[in-house]
Amino acid sequence: MKYITGLFLIQALFASVIITGCTGKKPGNNQVEPTVVTTTPVAGNETTLLLKDLNERGDYVNSREYPSLIKASIVYESVGTNILVIDIRPPEQYAEGHITGAVNKKFEELPSFFETGIKPYEYDKIIIVSADGQISSYTTSLLRLMGYGNVYSMRWGMSAWNIKFAVSGWLKGISGKFEGNLEKTVNEKPVPSGMPDLKTGMATGPEIADARFRNLFKEGTSDILISADQVFSEPSKYFIINLDRKDKYEDGHVPGAVRYKPEGTLGFISEMATIPVNKTVVVYCGTGHNSGFATAYLRLFGYDARTLEYGNNAFMHGQMISRRAALSWLPFSKEEINDFPVVTK
């Protein structure tokens, strides 16, 4: 399994340093034998078992289906077919207007709903809907990791469905207020120092996974998002992960942010072990959708991870518009808002 290989690789690298020293030569008669140093494994047994279990389930985070986003227009065209829309907004927001046929469920209720309330695989698609699409991305990531392979998050949330919701959602969240605070310094990753120590007390990968998923759903979503104001007021307080392409990162990023490759970080011990366990981790991308998926994965492994709400759109929206053609930015605009109908019953 590649996860276990990653762990052994790091230990092997430490071993090679011990054996060869800085010169790369083996000790000869005139050389002093190097001191043998005992290293601490970067991933505990429960972590390794959890990684193995997720890999056996299909390694979702490194598959073509990741991240599982669907456009509002596709959802609209599918209303009345064999789909299920689950609206996880608060009941009062749901009552103000929702997609025809959508059921309103609390985030915390979803595991039991999927287990006993419905037969998930009887539907062609199950679409999770939230206000702005970021909490639904987080939720979809967890459900996909649990093995529900037909779950999707609606991009931009209800802001893409109707202007009524966009006014208090994405149109309110976009901003260019911190464009003058961006840096272009390439910040290096820390050396691997270890991953959070999972202490579920379970003995097998599936048992550990079940315990972690249930714990995350029990915790809710009140601390999943973090605002640009919070991050820019004291960026050194956080370990900030940028999940964008290299050229976008180098064009300007949050001060102190370290770039991690979206397709080469999650599930790889050698990469995840460089993320500090003693700081709040802020993950961001262009829209907050991909980072929502990544945040779910990191929290599953015990990191105190948050998604920067609205992503780059929250602090450099003007620059995203002006550099859209050059860097393929995805700034939110009224072009993303549809005029689809809603129901209140």
Side-chain angles (χ1 to χ4, degrees):
M1 298 298 176
K2 71 179 178 184
Y3 297 124
I4 300 177
T5 301
L7 174 57
F8 289 164
L9 174 61
I10 293 173
Q11 293 172 329
L13 288 174
F14 281 124
S16 67
V17 172
I18 292 169
I19 294 172
T20 61
C22 296
T23 64
K25 299 178 181 178
K26 294 183 179 181
N29 294 332
N30 298 323
Q31 291 179 298
V32 178
E33 288 286 346
T35 302
V36 177
V37 180
T38 301
T39 60
T40 302
V42 296
N45 183 58
E46 285 199 18
T47 299
T48 303
L49 289 173
L50 177 56
L51 283 167
K52 180 181 177 182
D53 178 65
L54 294 177
N55 190 48
E56 291 175 347
R57 293 185 192 212
D59 193 15
Y60 168 63
V61 295
N62 293 301
S63 70
R64 292 183 178 182
E65 288 76 33
Y66 178 90
S68 305
L69 294 167
I70 189 169
K71 293 181 179 180
S73 58
I74 302 299
V75 178
Y76 176 69
E77 293 169 1
S78 303
V79 170
T81 65
N82 189 36
I83 66 167
L84 174 63
V85 178
I86 303 177
D87 191 323
I88 59 173
R89 293 177 299 159
E92 59 272 18
Q93 293 183 20
Y94 173 82
E96 290 176 358
H98 54 267
I99 299 170
T100 301
V103 297
N104 189 214
K105 293 293 176 182
K106 294 180 180 178
F107 171 83
E108 295 83 352
E109 298 174 336
L110 292 178
S112 61
F113 182 63
F114 271 69
E115 290 169 1
T116 62
I118 58 172
K119 295 181 179 179
Y121 289 106
E122 289 187 347
Y123 298 98
D124 293 331
K125 292 184 178 69
I126 298 176
I127 296 105
I128 309 297
V129 176
S130 64
D132 302 316
Q134 293 147 93
I135 293 298
S136 60
S137 293
Y138 174 82
T139 305
T140 297
S141 184
L142 290 179
L143 292 170
R144 280 273 184 163
L145 289 166
M146 291 172 72
Y148 298 110
N150 58 344
V151 181
Y152 297 83
S153 172
M154 192 169 80
R155 185 185 288 277
W156 310 116
M158 288 301 287
S159 289
W161 194 262
N162 190 286
I163 188 68
K164 174 181 180 180
F165 308 106
V167 169
S168 59
W170 268 92
L171 290 178
K172 186 177 180 180
I174 57 180
S175 169
K177 65 188 298 184
F178 294 111
E179 290 176 350
N181 298 72
L182 304 180
E183 74 168 11
K184 296 188 177 182
T185 302
V186 175
N187 300 303
E188 300 297 331
K189 299 173 187 174
V191 297
S193 60
M195 294 175 64
D197 188 16
L198 300 178
K199 298 180 179 180
T200 67
M202 301 300 172
T204 68
E207 290 174 328
I208 295 166
D210 183 68
R212 289 298 301 148
F213 284 125
R214 291 187 183 279
N215 185 65
L216 289 178
F217 276 102
K218 183 179 179 180
E219 288 178 354
T221 59
S222 61
D223 64 347
I224 299 303
L225 302 177
I226 188 169
S227 70
D229 285 342
Q230 289 174 279
V231 174
F232 277 87
S233 66
E234 194 176 356
S236 61
K237 180 180 177 180
Y238 309 100
F239 183 75
I240 305 170
I241 293 178
N242 174 286
L243 278 183
D244 262 319
R245 293 196 324 244
K246 184 173 181 289
D247 55 349
K248 291 183 176 181
Y249 172 78
E250 293 178 348
D251 199 51
H253 51 263
V254 179
V258 180
R259 178 180 173 268
Y260 283 75
K261 294 181 180 179
E263 71 285 357
T265 298
L266 303 180
F268 297 91
I269 291 179
S270 58
E271 291 295 301
M272 293 175 66
T274 66
I275 302 172
V277 301
N278 59 348
K279 296 185 78 170
T280 295
V281 178
V282 175
V283 189
Y284 80 98
C285 63
T287 65
H289 292 93
N290 289 22
S291 60
F293 279 85
T295 294
Y297 193 89
L298 291 175
R299 288 177 78 98
L300 180 64
F301 281 89
Y303 291 95
D304 177 23
R306 318 287 170 90
T307 290
L308 200 160
E309 192 171 17
Y310 302 112
N312 294 69
N313 275 273
F315 59 86
M316 53 177 287
H317 187 253
Q319 185 169 316
M320 292 177 78
I321 293 174
S322 64
R323 302 278 286 158
R324 183 173 187 170
L327 293 173
S328 303
W329 281 116
L330 188 58
F332 186 83
S333 69
K334 290 185 177 180
E335 296 174 1
E336 308 293 343
I337 305 171
N338 296 282
D339 187 27
F340 298 145
V342 297
V343 295
T344 56
K345 294 182 180 180

